[in-house]
Amino acid sequence: MRKIIIAGNWKMNKDASETSKFCSELGTYLKKHDNERVLPLIAPVFPFLSQAQGILRSLPVAVAAQDVSSHAEGAFTGEVSAAQLCSLEVRHCIIGHSERRQYHGETDALIREKLLRLLENGIIPIVCIGETLQQREQGRTEQVIISQLEGCFDQITIAAGDQIVIAYEPVWAIGTGKTATSGQAQEVHALIRNWLQTSYGSQAAADIHILYGGSVKPDNIRELLEQKDIDGGLIGGASLKIDSFCTMIGLACELSSAGGN
Ligand code: PEP
């Protein structure tokens, strides 16, 4: 059965002491609010992954990387490999975020290489896809989403649904305060699950978590999580404050005990 994943993408925010403070406070919260149907996850910057893991060790929370190199190892200054993340016991990694696509020219083909490196190392990729405002207004959302899925997963074998996570993040909703309506989000999530079913079969499609991202916050997360195919949130801005992050974890716990999602 799918859990609810409440994932905080910290982007290039928080220094060493802010990371420690947040993780200590999160740890205190999680000691009192453990729920096996909810997986909180934070993605700090590379230099503080170990520090966050150390503080949160043995607590029910995942510490993820925000990116990975498409190369296995070697002369690639500034890059971090999947094997290196694996040696740190990092179990999740975001790839294909729209900021990487937009500011670093990442293509579906490159994201596919990153996905392969992660799978080779037993790390769960959180693969981000989503349309721009222009593409939505041109009525091309479905075409763009399918083409991103086909590009990122071209000839990729998925043995089980717990090996990957997909995040649907409409680019026009990221960091803009504009959220897709729950209906708009559910429609695309259903499209993605349908594609997964055709590509990987019913069991994998039923097991794969599909997160929604784009200005998710305590005020709108409930309605999104109530949608049949939305299995959590990939959250930027609202994940940076401990109070709002914990509020969203709390709402997910409530919904999961009420049999929601
Ligand atoms: C993100 O960075 O993935 C994101 C969805 O950001 P925000 O929640 O701030 O829109």
Side-chain angles (χ1 to χ4, degrees):
M1 190 191 252
R2 303 193 299 269
K3 297 185 179 197
I4 302 178
I5 301 178
I6 302 296
N9 173 17
W10 286 4
K11 314 191 186 194
M12 202 170 67
N13 292 295
K14 294 197 189 293
D15 63 15
S17 72
E18 289 163 341
T19 299
S20 290
K21 185 168 184 290
F22 186 107
C23 291
S24 306
E25 290 173 0
L26 180 60
T28 305
Y29 177 85
L30 291 176
K31 278 182 194 141
K32 292 188 216 133
H33 297 85
D34 183 5
N35 180 322
E36 58 175 19
R37 289 222 47 227
V38 176
L39 175 66
L41 175 154
I42 54 165
V45 291
F46 286 130
F48 307 140
L49 284 171
S50 284
Q51 183 185 325
Q53 285 174 314
I55 298 168
L56 294 167
R57 195 165 299 288
S58 77
L59 284 164
V61 52
V63 177
Q66 294 178 21
D67 190 26
V68 70
S69 177
S70 60
H71 302 284
E73 67 173 338
F76 300 101
T77 304
E79 296 274 274
V80 174
S81 74
Q84 289 163 335
L85 293 177
C86 181
S87 72
L88 272 185
E89 298 180 16
V90 167
R91 293 282 163 256
H92 297 80
C93 179
I94 299 168
I95 50 172
H97 192 279
S98 73
E99 288 152 15
R100 304 273 339 154
R101 292 175 185 258
Q102 191 181 343
Y103 305 134
H104 303 273
E106 295 200 0
T107 59
D108 292 330
L110 181 85
I111 295 159
R112 177 185 178 277
E113 288 303 306
K114 294 186 174 198
L115 195 149
L116 275 172
R117 298 294 87 72
L118 292 172
L119 291 178
E120 285 160 7
N121 285 278
I123 298 174
I124 300 170
I126 302 176
V127 185
C128 301
I129 54 174
E131 81 287 2
T132 62
L133 184 59
Q134 192 189 33
Q135 290 164 336
R136 177 162 280 265
E137 286 175 349
Q138 290 170 342
R140 292 173 53 220
T141 300
E142 179 170 339
Q143 179 202 329
V144 169
I145 295 297
I146 298 296
S147 144
Q148 289 176 337
L149 287 167
E150 282 173 352
C152 293
F153 289 93
D154 185 24
Q155 304 198 36
I156 301 261
T157 307
I158 304 290
D162 59 1
Q163 285 185 331
I164 60 159
V165 172
I166 293 179
Y168 166 57
E169 299 207 304
V171 179
W172 49 272
I174 299 178
T176 57
K178 286 186 199 155
T179 323
T181 63
S182 51
Q184 283 172 322
Q186 166 57 28
E187 197 178 350
V188 179
H189 280 236
L191 172 76
I192 295 169
R193 204 171 301 283
N194 227 13
W195 184 87
L196 290 169
Q197 187 169 350
T198 311
S199 308
Y200 296 113
S202 307
Q203 192 57 55
D207 291 343
I208 292 172
H209 289 79
I210 309 175
L211 313 184
Y212 169 78
S215 298
V216 175
K217 47 185 185 272
D219 289 352
N220 59 23
I221 195 168
R222 176 185 286 275
E223 202 183 332
L224 289 159
L225 292 181
E226 278 169 351
Q227 305 305 308
K228 175 168 163 277
D229 290 299
I230 300 185
D231 307 313
L234 180 56
I235 306 153
S239 73
L240 292 171
K241 293 222 161 64
I242 188 70
D243 290 350
S244 69
F245 192 58
C246 290
T247 301
M248 292 187 283
I249 296 171
L251 282 167
C253 292
E254 255 177 50
L255 280 175
S256 75
S257 2
N261 196 257

